[in-house]
Amino acid sequence: MSQSRLRRAVVVLTALPLLALGAGQAAAAPAPAVPAPAVPAPASQVAAIEDGVARTLATSLTDPALRERLRSATAAPGGAELAPLTAGAPGLAAATTRADRGIAAAKGLGADLGPLLRVQLADPSMRAALDAGTAPLVAVAATDDHARTVRAYDTAGRALGLDTGTLPTRPVYLVDIDTAKAMTAGIELLRREFAAQGLGPAAQAASGWWGTKITSIQVNDDEEPWFKGAAEMFSLVSGFGQDGKVRVDPVTMPYLQYDGTVYYPNQILVNWSNYKYNLADVVLMEDDGDTNYLALAKAVAAVLLTITDQGAYIPLVNAVLDALPASWWVDDPDYVDSWYTLARTSTGRLNGARANGWMTVEPYWVSQL
């Protein structure tokens, strides 16, 4: 996907690469008997949908025309949208259409969002084997930081477990979600739902307003395994609105994709004209593909609406974290880090409470045109 995912755990595994067997190539001598990696079961509704498409795509690759379209379309970084590639493969086209709709529903998004599934080559180094005619495998981009294996399919539809600690020598296509597209729709849904629940809307400034601008930011991580893509990040900025009620402002951060990389976005994080007090909190999140934005909005609203203005600022990070659905804490937490009591005058480097990231900020005056 895009990190679909920032990774916070080092995967230390025994190498067990698959042998690359090209078309017409003689099989290598039998290797010593080693237990094959277990084939993992899909971990969520979205993962199960993707898994079904991966198997259908793999068996469809016996069609030379489809195989060539896929090879050409995935030459560019980030791969390609899957739906347009399914022309001439009715079974795959129908499965992809159903999957796109099912994923949108599972994420709480509208059925009219359009295609969400993408396909990409797992690693650029696999291109040579693919171009030489080696039969590819098809896998789903895993979301579990601690996964020891990734489920993949061959053209016969057989499930294989790929060792996550070793880059396969056989080409692997990854089926994943266009999380940038899904997150854009999800953030808009969060805004609508928060406003409908009384956690908005924004106040109107007469002549301009003070903001807090992110000048640089980095999220820490230990490793980016071969089966992961780039992250899709967003923040929930919370505080008390001018009416004294709790408000939440979702802020998309599409540039924040890889661990250990410093980004310089010059992005406005907080619009202080929206808030009654000179303090706000920030919770940094990640969409790992199975994020249900509607469920998130309802869960957060249900908790925050119980908090009333006591005439002094109350930190809201813990309330937001307490509201997260339980699935956000299983295996691969979508919660990345948080910053308490960010002030309008905050300047310089601010370390996250979880010590998983930092950002440098400065006050910024936004003038009205």
Side-chain angles (χ1 to χ4, degrees):
M1 211 177 269
S2 337
Q3 173 179 7
S4 306
R5 295 133 159 121
L6 288 193
R7 303 304 155 204
R8 291 171 286 279
V10 178
V11 182
V12 182
L13 302 167
T14 302
L16 186 63
L18 295 176
L19 297 175
L21 298 177
Q25 181 179 351
V34 178
V39 179
S44 68
Q45 182 180 356
V46 171
I49 294 172
E50 290 179 299
D51 184 77
V53 172
R55 186 179 187 279
T56 303
L57 175 59
T59 57
S60 300
L61 288 178
T62 53
D63 178 0
L66 175 62
R67 197 155 149 180
E68 177 56 27
R69 284 201 302 275
L70 196 60
R71 188 188 70 85
S72 299
T74 57
E81 199 173 83
L82 179 57
L85 303 176
T86 63
L92 176 61
T96 301
T97 299
R98 287 194 303 270
D100 282 330
R101 292 173 179 168
I103 290 170
K107 294 176 71 64
L109 305 174
D112 58 348
L113 187 57
L116 283 174
L117 286 173
R118 298 183 64 81
V119 61
Q120 62 182 309
L121 198 60
D123 191 87
S125 65
M126 298 174 177
R127 177 62 54 183
L130 191 68
D131 291 344
T134 302
L137 301 172
V138 181
V140 173
T143 62
D144 183 359
D145 286 343
H146 310 289
R148 292 181 176 272
T149 55
V150 173
R151 188 184 186 96
Y153 295 97
D154 62 16
T155 54
R158 292 183 294 251
L160 305 170
L162 303 184
D163 184 348
T164 58
T166 303
L167 181 68
T169 55
R170 186 168 173 177
V172 179
Y173 286 119
L174 291 178
V175 173
D176 207 350
I177 296 173
D178 185 344
T179 46
K181 182 177 183 179
M183 189 173 69
T184 298
I187 292 297
E188 181 56 34
L189 183 147
L190 288 176
R191 291 195 180 103
R192 291 198 308 269
E193 285 297 312
F194 287 149
Q197 295 288 342
L199 301 178
Q204 296 296 319
S207 59
W209 45 271
W210 279 104
T212 290
K213 181 173 71 172
I214 302 174
T215 55
S216 61
I217 186 171
Q218 176 181 308
V219 174
N220 305 323
D221 199 9
D222 294 319
E223 185 175 316
E224 184 70 10
W226 64 267
F227 57 91
K228 305 289 179 62
E232 295 296 344
M233 312 290 287
F234 63 96
S235 289
L236 298 180
V237 179
S238 58
F240 288 89
Q242 297 289 357
D243 58 1
K245 297 179 181 179
V246 171
R247 65 171 292 128
V248 181
D249 292 303
V251 179
T252 183
M253 308 172 85
Y255 54 86
L256 190 55
Q257 294 184 326
Y258 295 101
D259 66 296
T261 302
V262 180
Y263 295 91
Y264 303 91
N266 288 319
Q267 179 186 29
I268 298 295
L269 179 64
V270 185
N271 176 348
W272 290 106
S273 70
N274 292 334
Y275 296 94
K276 176 179 179 180
Y277 298 108
N278 184 34
L279 295 170
D281 296 323
V282 179
V283 177
L284 182 61
M285 303 285 194
E286 172 192 359
D287 182 343
D288 260 337
D290 57 357
T291 301
N292 186 312
Y293 288 95
L294 183 59
L296 174 63
K298 290 182 176 179
V300 171
V303 172
L304 294 187
L305 286 173
T306 66
I307 301 174
T308 58
D309 183 9
Q310 301 297 318
Y313 182 74
I314 303 172
L316 299 171
V317 167
N318 290 349
V320 173
L321 298 184
D322 289 343
L324 294 183
S327 62
W328 284 48
W329 301 98
V330 178
D331 290 327
D332 186 31
D334 300 73
Y335 162 57
V336 178
D337 214 329
S338 49
W339 286 261
Y340 290 75
T341 57
L342 180 71
R344 196 191 77 178
T345 54
S346 293
T347 303
R349 174 166 170 155
L350 303 176
N351 293 319
R354 196 182 183 197
N356 192 44
W358 57 264
M359 59 182 172
T360 58
V361 300
E362 64 181 35
Y364 188 82
W365 175 253
V366 180
S367 300
Q368 186 178 25
L369 290 175

